[in-house]
C-alpha cells in the first residue's frame, strides 16, 4: 500500500505544480501579447511557448502516474 500512497502523493504534487504553471503561462501570455502590441515581436513574445512544452510533459507524466496507480490497485 505504501507504494500506491507514494504514487498518489507524486500525482497530487504534479497536478498542483501543473496548475500553477498553467496560471503562470496564462498571465505570461497576456503580458506577451501586450508587449508585442506595444514594442513589437521580441523574446517575450515566444516565452509562453517554451513553458507550454513543460505543461505538456507534466500532463504526460500525470497520465502515466494515473495508469500506474490503476495498475497497482488492480494487482491488489
Amino acid at each position: 500500500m505504501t507504494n500506491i500512497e507514494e504514487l498518489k502523493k507524486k500525482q497530487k504534487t504534479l497536478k498542483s505544480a501543473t496548475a500553477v504553471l498553467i496560471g503562470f503561462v496564462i498571465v505570461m501570455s497576456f503580458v506577451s501579447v501586450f508587449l508585442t502590441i506595444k514594442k513589437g515581436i521580441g523574446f517575450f513574445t515566444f516565452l509562453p511557448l517554451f513553458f507550454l512544452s513543460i505543461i505538456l510533459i507534466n500532463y504526460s507524466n500525470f497520465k502515466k502516474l494515473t495508469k500506474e496507480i490503476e495498475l497497482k490497485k488492480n494487482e491488489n
Side-chain angles (χ1 to χ4, degrees):
M1 281 304 265
T2 309
N3 198 12
I4 292 175
E5 291 171 5
E6 289 174 6
L7 289 174
K8 284 185 178 182
K9 186 176 179 183
K10 284 182 184 180
Q11 184 185 33
K12 185 177 178 181
T13 303
L14 185 62
K15 186 176 182 180
S16 299
T18 304
V20 169
L21 189 59
I22 288 171
F24 182 65
V25 168
I26 289 171
V27 170
M28 197 182 331
S29 296
F30 285 120
V31 170
S32 70
V33 168
F34 176 75
L35 287 175
T36 301
I37 291 170
K38 284 288 192 184
K39 297 185 179 185
I41 294 176
F43 173 73
F44 291 106
T45 304
F46 302 104
L47 191 60
L49 296 176
F50 297 125
F51 286 98
L52 187 61
S53 64
I54 296 171
I55 291 172
L56 295 175
I57 291 169
N58 281 357
Y59 179 72
S60 173
N61 289 337
F62 181 79
K63 284 176 42 177
K64 288 178 187 175
L65 275 173
T66 303
K67 286 180 183 178
E68 191 173 343
I69 289 170
E70 289 300 318
L71 189 73
K72 297 279 185 186
K73 282 182 181 178
N74 291 336
E75 285 178 0
N76 292 335

